[in-house]
Amino acid sequence: MQEVLRSLGLKEINEGCSTGQNWFSNGEVIESFSPVDGKLIGKIKTATKADYLKVVSTASDAFKFWREIPAPKRGEYVRQFGDKLRAKKAGLGKLVSYEMGKSYQEGLGEVQEMIDICDFAVGLSRQLYGLQLHSERPQHRMMEQWHPLGIVGIISAFNFPVAVWAWNSSLAWICGDVCIWKPSEKTPLCSVACQNIWNEVAKENNLPEGISSLVNGNYVVGQLLTADTHVPLISATGSTQMGKIVGATVAERFGRSILELGGNNAIIITENADLDNTLIGAVFGAIGTAGQRCTTTRRLIIHENIYDKAKDQLVKAYAQLKIGDPLNEANHVGPLIDKDAVKKYLNSLESVISEGGKIIVPGGVLEGKGFESGCYVKPAIAEAKNDMAIVQHETFAPILYIMKYKTLDEAIALQNGVPQGLSSAIMTLNMREAELFLSAAGSDCGIANVNIGTSGAEIGGAFGGEKETGGGRESGSDAWKAYMRRQTNTLNWGSKASLAQGIKFDLS
Ligand code: NAD
């Protein structure tokens, strides 16, 4: 691991703030321990308010430069950034896996998402289109164009320690914005590694400080960003609890926010499902990243006629799961992020029982050789009712709730009957069932899939959810519009002044 850390420019003690080539920080030191083996990976100095103010001032200056660069040229810098990510994919993927605890394959997948969104952003840098509209006045032209917003504040969660930043930053950069990133205090080394990669691009192209900046620290540093009127857009990924505070703070100052918050995702398994395919989607969805994805499958809503068969298959599949070091490709399930997460997992299992649920695959914490970090837990399954308080709540751990339904309308009501609205799926080979699920009377989530589980998404589509998931959209499709401001222009190229709505105003 030491070699990987060195190749990513990481030291034993790292400065936590950067505006580019400049690294500094005067706040307290946080330590990053790996949930894989409990070992200290490195230390990071956090930002003080003075450090933060320096970063904002540098970013404000950089915006004046960056907004003048033609968008395709900005795209060229993002292309170079993507190329560097390609070259460093193995190392960065390993660091993601070791600091966050997801499997090495998923760590590589996360870096691949960064590369993919860079490619997407490069193409988009030539397509930031506006509309041309017919004016109601003669010899007038009306159009819409999109301008950059300024500084985009990116607050990210621990479970996607690098990709979420890239989803936001690569789009924001080609749009002409500059970014300040406040990463999770649980995965700070990943952020330093990413900033180092951008810094190489900036240095090689003689770009000024402040196009990409980093401020490490906990929620206190996050609050500096969210309350700051110099930051017109905050893109915040994390818990619904955090989103409620961030959303209110940003709205209070008339800023904009993209909120990507908790999910409580379900798969409906109908009588017409291809059960073999269903099982792969459901089990990966429930136990991948040890249940720590916003899109993790938390509920299975199964038709009563196939309930027992599906349940048996699930129990058998869970018996085959291998739990252990996520860097070892033979293992399916790695650790939770920390002991606090383990406590929440255990409390949730207790609540399942006290609220009347029935555990059918028991959970528990693993001990002994290979599990010294104390963060490895067994994926559990419980039969539960949708209206139980614990089922309505997102526990960020591998606990899967299963329940029966009779009619598809009932199943859709169950699927929609939670406060969150991120990802959803139906498993069916029946066209009418699939189309109903995708219709306005179907899933109320931001993502609705057919014959694919809830977990994971392609960067080409807009990503985000409804209700308590926050309503934000990131990544593909036209999500770029959130990073820009729309301006309507009307231009009189004739020789007469004329007012809209036919209003006459004669000065003679
Ligand atoms: P968290 O809410 O504890 O922290 C997320 C980030 O917000 C961190 O950087 C944290 O320092 C910061 N933060 C916390 N309180 C803040 C405040 N008051 N002001 C400003 N910043 C603040 O979340 P976590 O435990 O890191 O991540 C897990 C959660 O993230 C889950 O709920 C998961 O569903 C959600 N998530 C959602 C998506 C999505 O796209 N919808 C993606 C990944 C994770």
Side-chain angles (χ1 to χ4, degrees):
M1 204 61 210
Q2 287 310 318
E3 207 175 300
V4 169
L5 296 178
R6 262 196 307 277
S7 73
L8 296 167
L10 290 161
K11 304 176 208 126
E12 207 176 310
I13 302 180
N14 301 276
E15 303 286 352
C17 297
S18 172
T19 50
Q21 308 316 308
N22 289 332
W23 284 90
F24 49 91
S25 40
N26 297 290
E28 61 183 35
V29 173
I30 50 176
E31 294 177 319
S32 180
F33 291 94
S34 169
V36 175
D37 54 15
K39 290 190 181 141
L40 178 68
I41 319 174
K43 298 181 185 176
I44 296 93
K45 290 196 224 159
T46 57
T48 59
K49 185 164 183 189
D51 295 331
Y52 171 78
L53 291 175
K54 184 169 159 184
V55 167
V56 171
S57 148
T58 310
S60 297
D61 290 344
F63 176 57
K64 291 181 194 126
F65 163 83
W66 192 238
R67 68 185 175 190
E68 298 292 331
I69 305 293
K73 183 78 187 153
R74 295 192 293 250
E76 164 56 18
Y77 301 130
V78 172
R79 187 194 63 74
Q80 292 180 31
F81 179 59
D83 280 353
K84 287 199 184 290
L85 288 170
R86 279 183 174 87
K88 296 198 187 265
K89 183 174 168 182
L92 189 56
K94 207 164 249 180
L95 175 63
V96 167
S97 174
Y98 191 57
E99 191 176 37
M100 185 275 153
K102 61 177 66 178
S103 75
Y104 180 47
Q105 279 309 311
E106 289 178 284
L108 289 176
E110 205 180 320
V111 183
Q112 187 58 47
E113 268 191 42
M114 300 174 83
I115 295 166
D116 293 342
I117 195 72
C118 284
D119 285 353
F120 182 89
V122 174
L124 194 60
S125 70
R126 293 182 183 269
Q127 299 175 69
L128 300 174
Y129 56 85
L131 288 176
Q132 180 83 24
L133 301 135
H134 282 263
S135 167
E136 66 187 35
R137 288 169 273 185
Q139 300 184 328
H140 280 57
R141 185 160 71 86
M142 191 156 68
M143 63 183 186
E144 278 181 2
Q145 56 173 337
W146 294 84
H147 290 310
L149 282 172
I151 301 174
V152 175
I154 303 166
I155 296 174
S156 59
F158 78 84
N159 65 330
F160 275 87
V162 295
V164 164
W165 169 67
W167 284 7
N168 283 281
S169 59
S170 55
L171 289 201
W173 287 329
I174 60 108
C175 288
D177 299 317
V178 296
C179 299
I180 300 178
W181 182 18
K182 206 302 280 173
S184 167
E185 58 276 34
K186 294 178 184 173
T187 49
L189 291 169
C190 284
S191 72
V192 174
C194 288
Q195 177 75 26
N196 275 334
I197 298 172
W198 167 264
N199 288 357
E200 281 180 22
V201 176
K203 189 172 181 189
E204 285 164 18
N205 291 282
N206 252 329
L207 293 175
E209 298 282 311
I211 295 164
S212 172
S213 301
L214 181 64
V215 283
N216 262 291
N218 62 13
Y219 72 97
V220 177
V221 179
Q223 282 171 336
L224 292 173
L225 257 182
T226 54
D228 192 342
T229 51
H230 297 98
V231 183
L233 173 65
I234 295 286
S235 177
T237 301
S239 57
T240 293
Q241 194 191 4
M242 173 279 285
K244 271 189 186 149
I245 300 169
V246 167
T249 310
V250 178
E252 220 246 327
R253 61 174 176 85
F254 296 102
R256 292 193 204 171
S257 51
I258 298 173
L259 298 175
E260 301 284 352
L261 312 174
N264 192 347
N265 318 294
I267 301 179
I268 297 174
I269 307 176
T270 81
E271 288 185 275
N272 301 304
D274 170 344
L275 268 189
D276 290 340
N277 264 345
T278 298
L279 208 68
I280 293 170
V283 176
F284 175 74
I287 62 99
T289 326
Q292 300 169 110
R293 281 186 181 216
C294 49
T295 53
T296 290
T297 307
R298 309 214 174 269
R299 297 173 296 141
L300 293 183
I301 303 166
I302 309 171
H303 192 274
E304 57 180 5
N305 291 350
I306 54 157
Y307 184 83
D308 290 336
K309 189 174 173 197
K311 185 170 111 177
D312 282 354
Q313 288 191 355
L314 273 171
V315 173
K316 274 190 201 127
Y318 267 53
Q320 288 163 27
L321 292 177
K322 293 197 186 79
I323 307 166
D325 183 346
L327 288 157
N328 176 347
E329 286 184 34
N331 291 322
H332 303 106
V333 187
L336 290 180
I337 183 71
D338 54 21
K339 287 192 180 149
D340 217 34
V342 174
K343 240 185 252 163
K344 286 182 183 152
Y345 156 87
L346 291 173
N347 290 343
S348 294
L349 286 176
E350 273 177 27
S351 299
V352 173
I353 296 165
S354 68
E355 290 180 31
K358 185 178 161 203
I359 306 274
I360 57 168
V361 173
V365 183
L366 291 154
E367 285 168 1
K369 197 165 164 5
F371 304 122
E372 289 84 355
S373 70
C375 297
Y376 291 85
V377 301
K378 292 187 204 158
I381 305 182
E383 289 182 299
K385 295 262 179 287
N386 203 53
D387 58 4
M388 283 164 48
I390 193 65
V391 176
Q392 294 279 312
H393 169 84
E394 178 199 46
T395 300
F396 222 47
I399 304 175
L400 178 66
Y401 305 114
I402 63 171
M403 56 199 80
K404 267 184 211 172
Y405 79 89
K406 271 189 181 32
T407 67
L408 188 53
D409 285 344
E410 182 195 347
I412 291 172
L414 287 171
Q415 130 71 36
N416 292 343
V418 290
Q420 309 82 355
L422 181 53
S423 186
S424 61
I426 191 167
M427 299 292 187
T428 181
L429 299 177
N430 178 301
M431 193 186 89
R432 286 193 179 138
E433 287 182 335
E435 290 290 350
L436 174 62
F437 183 72
L438 299 182
S439 76
S443 166
D444 65 0
C445 290
I447 298 167
N449 296 331
V450 177
N451 295 328
I452 296 174
T454 60
S455 180
E458 296 183 24
I459 61 101
F463 181 87
E466 303 298 332
K467 302 191 292 186
E468 286 193 0
T469 304
R473 290 296 183 275
E474 284 175 345
S475 194
S477 184
D478 64 351
W480 61 270
K481 289 179 177 169
Y483 301 83
M484 304 197 84
R485 62 186 169 88
R486 184 196 309 239
Q487 188 176 66
T488 305
N489 310 118
T490 314
L491 192 150
N492 177 359
W493 57 271
S495 51
K496 284 189 191 141
S498 68
L499 301 177
Q501 291 89 43
I503 293 171
K504 298 262 184 291
F505 184 71
D506 198 351
L507 286 178
S508 62

